[in-house]
Amino acid sequence: MRKNIVAGNWKMNLKRDEGLNLVNDVINLLPSDNEVEVVFAPSFIYLYKVNKMCLNLDRVSTASQNISKEESGAFTGEVSAEMIRSINVKYAIIGHSERREYFKETNEDLKQKVDVLLKNNLEVIFCCGESLNQREEKVHFDCIKNQISESLFHLSSNDFSKIVIAYEPIWAIGTGVTASSDQAEEIHKFIREIIAQKYGRELANNISILYGGSCKPTNAREIFSKDNIDGGLIGGASLNAESFIEIIKSF
Ligand code: PEP
């Protein structure tokens, strides 16, 4: 079901105590009538502990920042879907632009990751988004359509309903430049439309689509006010309890 989600992607930041204190502070500051699902995506080595801190809380969960496309075996340094499922993590983020760019992950790799995640009953936060060049060349709609269709459109309707999409224009990630709320809404509406064409309007209306890219307390309210924006995937501003809470309260 469509829901509002604010997910904090810590990336390769925070030492153990900094991370655990941040989770504690956010939990303590959460409004009691919070309707938003809050997701922490720490590094793998803190995931077990952070997940334990969230287990008995309503609408607070965790995500891994990545996952292996392989199920198990001789893949030194990799972490499998089965492993994170075994510690009761709910989500995995895949397809972040940093993974696509620095680790050369392709749409085909992500297709395999989606399959292995769904097979292990994990929910997927699937990132997509165009580069500045692609936007300037006006191929951003095609880019996003390809990312989504090549990695996700082999899924059954039932499986697709377990996907959360995060639209993250690469030019806005970590740059301080945010897509305007109208630019973001235009793409979110487009994403919902291509999902509707493939799976029908009802399913498309039930998918949560998050925005990511320099989202902060000063712009979150305006961004989240748009019809097709169901929350945010937050990088830098999720590393500080006060700013993360302000974003959560922006609905
Ligand atoms: C991200 O990396 O997913 C992200 C949105 O980062 P930032 O909020 O720092 O732009």
Side-chain angles (χ1 to χ4, degrees), residues 38-54:
V38 176
V39 181
F40 295 103
S43 89
F44 279 124
I45 58 167
Y46 315 138
L47 194 52
Y48 175 73
K49 178 69 183 166
V50 171
N51 196 59
K52 257 189 126 175
M53 293 166 80
C54 302

Side-chain angles (χ1 to χ4, degrees), residues 130 132 167-179 211-215:
E130 80 284 2
L132 187 58
Y167 167 59
E168 300 205 304
I170 299 171
W171 45 272
I173 296 179
T175 58
V177 179
T178 318
Y211 168 78
S214 299
C215 187

Side-chain angles (χ1 to χ4, degrees), residues 20-122:
L20 301 187
N21 288 340
L22 171 63
V23 174
N24 240 332
D25 291 347
V26 171
I27 289 171
N28 288 333
L29 291 166
L30 269 181
S32 52
D33 57 350
N34 180 39
E35 293 290 320
V36 178
E37 182 169 3
V38 176
V39 181
F40 295 103
S43 89
F44 279 124
I45 58 167
Y46 315 138
L47 194 52
Y48 175 73
K49 178 69 183 166
V50 171
N51 196 59
K52 257 189 126 175
M53 293 166 80
C54 302
L55 270 186
N56 296 321
L57 299 170
D58 254 1
R59 285 182 284 276
V60 184
S61 52
T62 55
S64 67
Q65 295 177 17
N66 180 34
I67 203 71
S68 173
K69 65 179 180 183
E70 306 295 342
E71 287 199 42
S72 64
F75 299 99
T76 302
E78 290 288 273
V79 176
S80 72
E82 192 180 53
M83 289 170 184
I84 64 163
R85 181 66 216 165
S86 74
I87 59 165
N88 295 314
V89 165
K90 181 172 178 183
Y91 293 102
I93 298 171
I94 59 167
H96 192 281
S97 62
E98 289 152 16
R99 304 281 332 162
R100 291 177 188 265
E101 186 180 347
Y102 306 141
F103 302 95
K104 306 292 170 233
E105 290 188 2
T106 63
N107 292 342
E108 177 57 35
D109 293 329
L110 297 171
K111 182 177 178 192
Q112 289 179 47
K113 291 188 182 204
V114 169
D115 288 342
V116 79
L117 287 167
L118 293 174
K119 188 171 167 194
N120 285 283
N121 292 319
L122 283 142

Side-chain angles (χ1 to χ4, degrees), residues 91-205:
Y91 293 102
I93 298 171
I94 59 167
H96 192 281
S97 62
E98 289 152 16
R99 304 281 332 162
R100 291 177 188 265
E101 186 180 347
Y102 306 141
F103 302 95
K104 306 292 170 233
E105 290 188 2
T106 63
N107 292 342
E108 177 57 35
D109 293 329
L110 297 171
K111 182 177 178 192
Q112 289 179 47
K113 291 188 182 204
V114 169
D115 288 342
V116 79
L117 287 167
L118 293 174
K119 188 171 167 194
N120 285 283
N121 292 319
L122 283 142
E123 294 183 38
V124 177
I125 300 177
F126 179 85
C127 303
C128 59
E130 80 284 2
S131 66
L132 187 58
N133 261 354
Q134 287 168 321
R135 181 163 276 262
E136 283 172 354
E137 286 166 14
K138 302 194 183 347
V139 292
H140 46 303
F141 290 103
D142 290 342
C143 159
I144 289 158
K145 188 172 184 183
N146 289 344
Q147 289 173 334
I148 292 176
S149 62
E150 288 175 19
S151 300
L152 301 177
F153 276 3
H154 64 291
L155 297 175
S156 66
S157 301
N158 187 38
D159 279 344
F160 196 91
S161 66
K162 296 168 198 156
I163 307 287
V164 172
I165 306 269
Y167 167 59
E168 300 205 304
I170 299 171
W171 45 272
I173 296 179
T175 58
V177 179
T178 318
S180 71
S181 55
D182 288 339
Q183 279 174 319
E185 172 65 7
E186 182 185 35
I187 301 288
H188 282 231
K189 200 169 168 209
F190 170 74
I191 291 172
R192 213 176 287 289
E193 197 51 48
I194 57 175
I195 297 171
Q197 280 164 19
K198 171 76 182 170
Y199 292 102
R201 181 72 49 197
E202 196 184 335
L203 190 147
N205 284 341

